[in-house]
Amino acid sequence: MKILLLEDDFKLSSEIKVFLQEKHFDCDAVYDGNLFLRQFANAAYDLFILDINVPGVNGLEVCSLIRQSDKATPIIMLTAFGQIEDKVEAFNNGADDYLVKPFHFDELYIRINSLMRRNQNPQQSDEIITIEDLQINISDLKVTRGGTEIYLTPKEYQLLLLLAKSKGKPVSKQSISDIVWDLNFETGTNTIEVYINFLRKKIDKNFDVKLIHTRPGFGYYLKSEE
Amino acid sequence: MISLKQRFTINFSILLSVILAVVLTMIYSIFSQYRRTEFKLRLEEKALSTSALLADLNVSKQDALEILDQNSVDKLYNNRIVVFDNDLNLIYSSVSGATQIPSEEDLQILKTKGSFFFSDNKIGRYGMARKLQANKVLYVLVTAEDKSGQRLLWFLGYLLLGAFIVGTGSVIILARSLSGRILLPLKQIQERITNISEKRLHIRLEEKRNNDEMDKLARAFNDMMDRIDSSYKQQKEFTDNASHELRTPVTRIIMQIQNLISLEPHSDKTKQYLNSMMMDSNQIADTISSLLILSRIDSGKISEFFPPCRLDEIIFDATQFISKAYPDVRILFNIENHSENDIDIEVKGDSNLLKIVFINLFKNAYLYSSDKLINVSLIQEKEDLKVVITNNGEVISPDDRENLFKAFARGKNSKNIQGTGLGLRITERILNHHNAQIKYEALNDNLNSFTVLFKF
């Protein structure tokens, strides 16, 4: 497993390198953007770690240059705290993940592993749940109804997915609270109703066939009308 | 407190009306003088014509004289003519007049001086000695009322008084509008200056380039603002640069300690020291990051135009972060709608910044709680959206409440709790930046509550 690291601070670079080598990664480190691009052209790597503020070509430009020829290899950007705009730009330039300095090495390790895993089996079968004209695409998190895309917040999406996966059986408020929210998180029953309402507004409001139903005493379920 | 405008109006009006009064009084007195002279001339003429007639007739032909008197075109009102000869024998006296007969004294004055004229407001007396031949003198005395002159004088008096009132009135109105116009730039300047605040140092006054006093003032003010603005910027940039410079070595230290802990075998004591150093370094990093956020908000590097974002999702992101950092935390979450509208929990904001707000508030609620339970309520009301965060635990003392949102202020209850003293400061600044408010209340002896308020 080969990693190419772009970091202009010599000490930081060597610390990261020491850590990665300890975790049995093969790590090359370069200190400026031009050197990085030369190295990128000469050898094959499994992952790139890029600092943004480096001499020569900066990290964001390096990132988009990599993406012109290589769409697959994971890229982790290192950003300085407070540069919130950088994060957005990092993703726009094709980065897969970012870490805010100072980060914990264990965190870096977890991110590398998860990206590697994702990269090893990239072609997940496109799983789509279809109920009437409602489609939930699990791989790209897109929801459409009657062909138009419906924008859901993460919680709304998780709630819809939970209802869809239970295949018409009612899901109790307690289960919704436990599954959609964290374990440390307790929601009042009123809150679940609010989210069901949010979902109804987005999924059912503009359509004649209502999909979200309530079975009093049992919970909610997703089904075309009987 | 009398305003500059009022003072100008009053002073200007008083000055102009005094000048007006003086001018009008002069006109009146000159005219009054003129009337007197005119009256005297008429009396003199009368005396001359009467004495000429008497001299020609040489005898007293009273009837003729009286006819003449009564038909005279230039009629003197209420007049009486008496004529005496050398020896002060009355040789003629008109009867129509009701005015009194001249006294002995008058005749004496005539004898010595040759002529006299007395006049009070109503009645004028004129006397003259007319030499006819070498030893023959006629003493003619005319008394009359100057009715028409008096009337003219009255008329003029009223006219002038009217002119004074109208004049003074228009002077006051003129002064008001003039002072308003002159002081208008001053009012505009004042309105502009009121808008200048820490965040809005870019405001400048309008320079008209006509080189008048207002323009000079505006320019001097703008120069001053430039200097303040630049020194403010330098100060902000200093914080920004200093934080950047500090961060790199702290990051290095943290990473080196991390490697030191995990890569080398250590005694328990050394490990303890290393962990403690690590924690301290992390705190320094936290402080630096917080200072950076503050300076970025203050220096306006963070946009004021926000996209809409869902407040609930921000809260969930923050709770996720807290659950990761403190696995034993419990969070009770509730949404309530107290308005008659459909629930709408969208706010305009920077979700990353607002996440920092709620992370800070949840972290505090957890660290200062006695039972590790945080109660979070998202409440929609008629005109605002409220997030109420409560926790059981020692309440903040009234003394500390004043300094709650100040930098590096830590309360008496924070002795054993790690923190930078910047969390609530940042929280407040970020919320201010979003036009949202935060307030603290102790609901009872053991219940803390922070309320964040977003106006719709």
Side-chain angles (χ1 to χ4, degrees):
Chain A
M1 185 75 89
K2 279 183 85 178
I3 294 173
L4 182 56
L5 168 68
L6 173 62
E7 166 65 69
D8 66 323
D9 188 277
F10 184 76
K11 264 194 175 165
L12 275 186
S13 173
S14 68
E15 288 303 321
I16 296 171
K17 203 172 163 181
V18 165
F19 171 78
L20 290 175
Q21 277 163 352
E22 182 64 22
K23 296 286 179 192
H24 308 293
F25 292 111
D26 194 356
C27 180
D28 291 338
V30 288
Y31 307 110
D32 83 56
N34 292 320
L35 281 174
F36 183 95
L37 289 172
R38 203 174 305 157
Q39 192 68 17
F40 168 69
N42 287 341
Y45 289 95
D46 300 301
L47 189 130
F48 302 113
I49 300 173
L50 309 176
D51 184 25
I52 290 180
N53 290 320
V54 289
V57 188
N58 81 37
L60 290 169
E61 287 165 343
V62 167
C63 186
S64 63
L65 285 171
I66 294 171
R67 282 290 176 249
Q68 280 175 13
S69 59
D70 176 356
K71 304 251 186 272
T73 313
I75 299 173
I76 297 176
M77 303 289 297
L78 304 180
T79 76
F81 197 89
Q83 291 169 317
I84 290 155
E85 316 81 42
D86 287 352
K87 289 180 200 170
V88 179
E89 225 173 309
F91 285 120
N92 287 343
N93 280 295
D96 297 281
D97 209 342
Y98 69 86
L99 273 173
V100 176
K101 283 199 257 180
F103 50 84
H104 208 278
F105 278 143
D106 292 337
E107 183 91 27
L108 177 64
Y109 185 59
I110 292 168
R111 304 275 176 106
I112 290 174
N113 276 337
S114 95
L115 282 176
M116 290 296 196
R117 228 179 298 125
R118 200 166 86 191
N119 213 35
Q120 271 154 17
N121 45 355
Q123 285 308 309
Q124 280 180 336
S125 58
D126 267 9
E127 201 185 332
I128 295 176
I129 299 177
T130 309
I131 298 159
E132 285 280 303
D133 53 350
L134 175 75
Q135 288 200 329
I136 307 167
N137 187 331
I138 294 173
S139 58
D140 64 2
L141 311 176
K142 261 187 192 158
V143 177
T144 58
R145 187 163 182 194
T148 46
E149 189 170 353
I150 294 168
Y151 298 96
L152 299 177
T153 69
K155 289 290 174 230
E156 288 165 355
Y157 175 80
Q158 284 168 9
L159 178 56
L160 181 67
L161 196 62
L162 174 65
L163 295 179
K165 276 182 170 171
S166 72
K167 295 181 175 144
K169 281 187 221 109
V171 185
S172 73
K173 286 181 182 175
Q174 190 57 50
S175 322
I176 291 174
S177 174
D178 290 348
I179 297 167
V180 176
W181 279 273
D182 291 321
L183 279 178
N184 327 49
F185 208 83
E186 292 163 40
T187 52
T189 51
N190 179 44
T191 308
I192 307 295
E193 279 165 30
V194 169
Y195 277 88
I196 291 288
N197 275 336
F198 281 150
L199 214 50
R200 277 197 168 124
K201 215 188 253 175
K202 288 185 179 174
I203 303 285
D204 278 346
K205 198 183 173 191
N206 299 322
F207 297 90
D208 292 334
V209 181
K210 307 297 177 198
L211 296 177
I212 300 167
H213 304 282
T214 314
R215 182 175 296 169
F218 288 92
Y220 303 95
Y221 61 100
L222 202 61
K223 210 177 185 182
S224 60
E225 251 161 337
E226 289 135 32
Chain B
M1 185 57 197
I2 189 162
S3 76
L4 203 59
K5 185 180 167 178
Q6 284 168 320
R7 199 154 63 203
F8 179 87
T9 308
I10 291 170
N11 288 352
F12 187 76
S13 313
I14 289 176
L15 190 73
L16 271 193
S17 54
V18 164
I19 291 173
L20 191 64
V22 168
V23 169
L24 297 183
T25 315
M26 269 166 67
I27 290 174
Y28 185 81
S29 81
I30 287 168
F31 182 81
S32 157
Q33 201 64 45
Y34 169 76
R35 178 205 64 91
R36 210 178 120 95
T37 317
E38 188 70 31
F39 189 42
K40 182 186 163 192
L41 280 174
R42 283 168 71 200
L43 293 180
E44 191 179 343
E45 221 167 279
K46 185 83 187 171
L48 275 174
S49 61
T50 308
S51 61
L53 265 172
L54 280 174
D56 284 350
L57 293 171
N58 218 358
V59 268
S60 61
K61 283 256 171 95
Q62 281 216 353
D63 297 342
L65 260 177
E66 263 176 42
I67 290 162
L68 177 99
D69 184 38
Q70 262 149 32
N71 291 339
S72 141
V73 185
D74 186 21
K75 200 171 177 267
L76 284 162
Y77 183 79
N78 230 351
N79 67 20
R80 176 165 194 164
I81 306 163
V82 280
V83 184
F84 297 90
D85 64 6
N86 279 10
D87 310 319
L88 298 180
N89 297 317
L90 182 70
I91 52 168
Y92 169 76
S93 166
S94 64
V95 284
S96 58
T99 40
Q100 66 191 97
I101 298 167
S103 61
E104 199 70 16
E105 209 178 315
D106 289 345
L107 290 171
Q108 285 308 317
I109 295 170
L110 263 189
K111 259 190 163 170
T112 50
K113 285 200 173 168
S115 77
F116 71 81
F117 177 69
F118 297 118
S119 169
D120 58 13
N121 273 336
K122 235 174 142 187
I123 292 160
R125 286 181 295 139
Y126 178 75
M128 71 182 296
R130 182 133 194 233
K131 242 185 201 157
L132 295 176
Q133 288 134 26
N135 53 352
K136 195 168 181 202
V137 179
L138 283 179
Y139 297 105
V140 188
L141 288 118
V142 188
T143 23
E145 266 183 62
D146 188 11
K147 249 317 207 257
S148 69
Q150 213 65 250
R151 254 201 319 271
L152 271 176
L153 199 61
W154 272 110
F155 178 69
L156 183 72
Y158 282 123
L159 200 67
L160 292 183
L161 190 69
F164 178 73
I165 291 166
V166 172
T168 307
S170 26
V171 159
I172 291 172
I173 292 166
L174 189 77
R176 278 178 67 94
S177 83
L178 199 64
S179 65
R181 189 136 19 116
I182 288 175
L183 296 176
L184 183 68
L186 213 57
K187 204 176 157 213
Q188 287 167 341
I189 288 175
Q190 180 243 322
E191 278 165 3
R192 281 244 170 151
I193 293 177
T194 318
N195 282 331
I196 293 175
S197 68
E198 205 179 327
K199 261 201 276 175
R200 300 166 79 181
L201 285 174
H202 58 275
I203 293 177
R204 294 289 179 276
L205 302 178
E206 198 183 328
E207 292 177 23
K208 293 209 177 66
R209 307 236 160 256
N210 56 6
N211 245 331
D212 66 7
E213 285 81 351
M214 287 298 174
D215 194 46
K216 279 179 188 158
L217 180 68
R219 258 185 287 165
F221 182 83
N222 284 348
D223 286 347
M224 182 191 76
M225 284 307 297
D226 286 344
R227 290 194 296 272
I228 292 176
D229 199 11
S230 89
S231 71
Y232 215 74
K233 270 196 190 121
Q234 273 169 19
Q235 194 194 329
K236 297 275 175 249
E237 264 159 32
F238 176 80
T239 317
D240 208 81
N241 293 338
S243 310
H244 270 292
E245 290 306 315
L246 286 171
R247 196 172 41 198
T248 311
V250 171
T251 306
R252 278 186 208 146
I253 292 170
I254 291 173
M255 292 192 167
Q256 288 174 73
I257 298 173
Q258 280 184 37
N259 276 340
L260 200 57
I261 292 172
S262 61
L263 304 184
E264 310 279 336
H266 299 290
S267 70
D268 282 352
K269 187 111 192 183
T270 314
K271 257 190 189 155
Q272 223 176 351
Y273 275 125
L274 284 173
N275 276 323
S276 157
M277 281 159 71
M278 176 87 167
M279 264 167 69
D280 288 345
S281 309
N282 272 324
Q283 198 187 331
I284 296 175
D286 269 0
T287 309
I288 294 168
S289 301
S290 304
L291 283 173
L292 253 175
I293 294 177
L294 277 180
S295 87
R296 276 174 175 257
I297 293 175
D298 288 347
S299 58
K301 279 189 186 162
I302 286 168
S303 157
E304 283 187 49
F305 302 100
F306 301 118
C309 53
R310 283 275 293 264
L311 200 52
D312 55 337
E313 286 299 329
I314 294 166
I315 292 173
F316 296 147
D317 277 355
T319 53
Q320 215 168 18
F321 182 92
I322 292 292
S323 312
K324 225 190 256 176
Y326 311 106
D328 57 347
V329 69
R330 282 194 307 138
I331 300 161
L332 259 171
F333 179 74
N334 251 310
I335 295 187
E336 290 163 36
N337 185 358
H338 294 175
S339 74
E340 285 156 11
N341 306 326
D342 272 359
I343 191 147
D344 173 19
I345 45 182
E346 228 170 49
V347 293
K348 284 208 156 66
D350 182 322
S351 53
N352 283 302
L353 289 176
L354 290 177
K355 194 173 143 189
I356 293 170
V357 165
F358 290 108
I359 287 176
N360 281 336
L361 290 174
F362 295 159
K363 206 174 179 177
N364 281 350
Y366 169 81
L367 291 173
Y368 292 92
S369 78
S370 49
D371 52 8
K372 291 168 182 171
L373 178 71
I374 312 171
N375 219 315
V376 184
S377 296
L378 182 56
I379 302 168
Q380 177 176 337
E381 288 182 334
K382 207 171 168 192
E383 277 165 355
D384 43 45
L385 201 56
K386 251 182 1 186
V387 183
V388 183
I389 299 147
T390 56
N391 69 294
N392 285 316
E394 195 188 332
V395 296
I396 299 169
S397 73
D399 289 349
D400 287 336
R401 279 178 214 176
E402 278 175 31
N403 300 319
L404 206 52
F405 299 106
K406 288 191 182 145
F408 301 113
R410 302 203 65 207
K412 293 189 196 83
N413 56 348
S414 63
K415 265 173 223 144
N416 299 315
I417 298 168
Q418 262 206 356
T420 58
L422 284 172
L424 282 178
R425 170 75 176 160
I426 290 170
T427 298
E428 197 217 13
R429 288 313 294 256
I430 292 175
L431 289 174
N432 272 350
H433 199 62
H434 285 81
N435 282 326
Q437 284 147 14
I438 182 165
K439 65 167 192 243
Y440 169 81
E441 276 170 301
L443 296 179
N444 63 39
D445 289 351
N446 201 41
L447 190 56
N448 291 292
S449 145
F450 278 93
T451 305
V452 177
L453 205 73
F454 292 90
K455 290 255 178 253
F456 277 129

